[in-house]
Amino acid sequence: MENLNSILAKYGWGKMALIPILQDLQEEYGWLSEELLDEVAQRLRVSSSEIFSMVTFYKSFRLKPVGKYLITVCLGTACHVRGAPDVLDEIKRRSGIKDGETTKDNLFTLETVNCVGACALGPIVIVNDEYHGLMSKVKVEKLIDQLYEKNQ
Ligand code: FES
């Protein structure tokens, strides 16, 4: 929990900074486990239920482990009209998972968001921190195949 200490120290151990603290922790660990949230609650002297209601309110917090590749599909208006639903369907078909799920082999986690600020390049798919613009069913199929091949 060394990283937890440094993140809490960065925000002065203040409960007013709960959201940025939780964002930093998610960045560090990839997701927010119940154990981690309990630890934060204890250290900041807030109730576990207060933290839990916060992390369930904001869709951006992840309460389950993520796969090796976090695939984020933008479903904002610009991406939507340019074919993002078809791209999403193809990812679901290839991976066998739905939005918010992780494959059994922990290779992929799929999530959707509304606009990542790169509308001109839509539809956008982000794999971990790498942006892939102007995606289509064919391009995303190749992308998924490449990720599978890398991990055989
Ligand atoms: S709508 Fe997808 S990046 Fe803006």
Side-chain angles (χ1 to χ4, degrees):
M1 294 275 168
E2 198 176 301
N3 296 336
L4 173 59
N5 284 334
S6 59
I7 288 169
L8 292 176
K10 176 179 164 189
Y11 293 101
W13 298 77
K15 90 176 213 187
M16 296 302 288
L18 195 49
I19 290 178
I21 287 170
L22 294 172
Q23 286 169 332
D24 279 15
L25 288 170
Q26 181 164 282
E27 179 85 24
E28 181 66 30
Y29 296 103
W31 66 294
L32 301 171
S33 68
E34 199 176 327
E35 182 194 17
L36 183 61
L37 293 175
D38 283 343
E39 191 68 30
V40 172
Q42 271 186 18
R43 306 248 189 129
L44 295 184
R45 296 180 188 190
V46 295
S47 69
S48 292
S49 60
E50 190 179 333
I51 291 194
F52 189 73
S53 56
M54 184 174 286
V55 295
T56 49
F57 179 78
Y58 293 101
K59 194 184 172 234
S60 59
F61 289 124
R62 282 182 225 108
L63 300 175
K64 291 186 207 159
V66 291
K68 181 173 182 181
Y69 299 108
L70 173 61
I71 302 177
T72 306
V73 180
C74 178
L75 289 181
T77 306
C79 288
H80 195 279
V81 298
R82 291 172 178 210
D86 289 342
V87 170
L88 178 63
D89 284 347
E90 186 61 23
I91 296 170
K92 287 177 178 172
R93 193 182 70 76
R94 303 284 297 172
S95 64
I97 53 173
K98 297 182 201 140
D99 186 10
E101 293 182 345
T102 298
T103 53
K104 284 197 174 80
D105 59 3
N106 286 321
L107 195 58
F108 300 118
T109 296
L110 178 60
E111 70 174 13
T112 57
V113 292
N114 287 316
C115 194
V116 291
C119 307
L121 295 175
I124 296 278
V125 172
I126 307 166
V127 179
N128 295 341
D129 289 329
E130 195 174 309
Y131 280 57
H132 300 266
L134 303 172
M135 291 306 281
S136 64
K137 270 176 91 162
V138 173
K139 282 169 87 175
V140 86
E141 185 180 356
K142 278 188 194 156
L143 178 63
I144 300 288
D145 283 350
Q146 283 169 358
L147 295 175
Y148 272 129
E149 281 167 22
K150 265 192 200 174
N151 289 277
Q152 281 181 343

